[in-house]
Amino acid sequence: MFWTDVDSPLGPLLLTAGADGVLTSVSVPGQKGGRSVEEGWRRDPGPFRAAVEQLDAYFAADLKEFRLPMRAEGTAFRTRVWAALDSVPYGSTTTYGEIAARVGAPRAAVRAVGGAIGAIGANPLLIVRPCHRIIGANGALTGYAGGLDRKVRLLTLEGALPATGGVSPVPEGAPPAPERSLPAPGVIPTPPRPSTRP
């Protein structure tokens, strides 16, 4: 197994690849279920040149779709869910329920879909497999293994949330961001009515 670490606006990223050089994970510090370097792994930035170039371009808002060979080990169900994630376009969001429908899972399987996406850390390819684009049915930003603050930063970078100064580094040990809500996908929010009181 190869590994390297790279700086990013979200903090250091740990990248891993198999012996064939195919990307197998992208993790952030403190990630639920994130990888950490194991004994016997070989540090070598060589297999990650394309990934690093594309991540840099993504964070500079010059890349909207990753084109990297990547592989994640998972059940047949998780593999279907991850493939559905890959179809969620840059700058948009969708719900866990909509992902369940895309993979042909019954409405009752939404919790299982959430687990496969990364709510419990099952998506090993954060950022490049866009689980940050999945929100609750009510628009709540929930279930991101990398932390809600990072999810907010990624959605802001992509324009799915209003800009509040762009993506800035997340200090290690920073408290989680407060829960936020987006309007349901496809819903245009109605601005509050002005008060008629004097």
Side-chain angles (χ1 to χ4, degrees):
M1 180 77 69
F2 295 108
W3 71 277
T4 195
D5 54 357
V6 295
D7 291 329
S8 84
L10 301 181
L13 302 177
L14 171 66
L15 283 62
T16 65
D20 56 2
V22 173
L23 189 66
T24 58
S25 74
V26 177
S27 301
V28 295
Q31 174 184 332
K32 293 177 196 171
R35 299 206 85 175
S36 55
V37 177
E38 296 181 18
E39 189 174 327
W41 287 10
R42 191 170 121 203
R43 184 178 196 154
D44 181 355
F48 304 100
R49 284 189 182 96
V52 171
E53 286 174 11
Q54 289 186 39
L55 284 162
D56 287 346
Y58 170 80
F59 285 117
D62 293 333
L63 180 79
K64 296 185 177 4
E65 183 178 338
F66 290 95
R67 296 186 186 279
L68 295 167
M70 53 186 170
R71 177 181 54 249
E73 301 294 325
T75 64
F77 178 72
R78 283 186 174 175
T79 302
R80 287 195 332 263
V81 170
W82 292 337
L85 281 180
D86 291 337
S87 71
V88 179
Y90 180 97
S92 66
T93 60
T94 193
T95 66
Y96 293 97
E98 289 172 4
I99 293 291
R102 287 183 195 184
V103 300
R107 185 79 180 139
V110 170
R111 285 185 185 259
V113 167
I117 288 172
I120 59 170
N123 174 18
L125 292 156
L126 288 190
I127 307 164
V128 298
R129 174 158 286 142
C131 57
H132 58 276
R133 298 178 188 153
I134 311 306
I135 61 173
N138 64 355
L141 301 182
T142 60
Y144 188 60
L148 286 181
D149 191 51
R150 288 185 178 107
K151 184 171 189 164
V152 166
R153 291 167 192 268
L154 292 168
L155 291 173
T156 301
L157 170 72
E158 294 184 4
L161 281 177
T164 57
V167 177
S168 58
V170 178
E172 281 194 52
E179 187 168 294
R180 292 195 170 165
S181 292
L182 290 172
V187 174
I188 299 171
T190 306
R193 301 183 86 178
S195 174
T196 56
R197 291 182 168 179

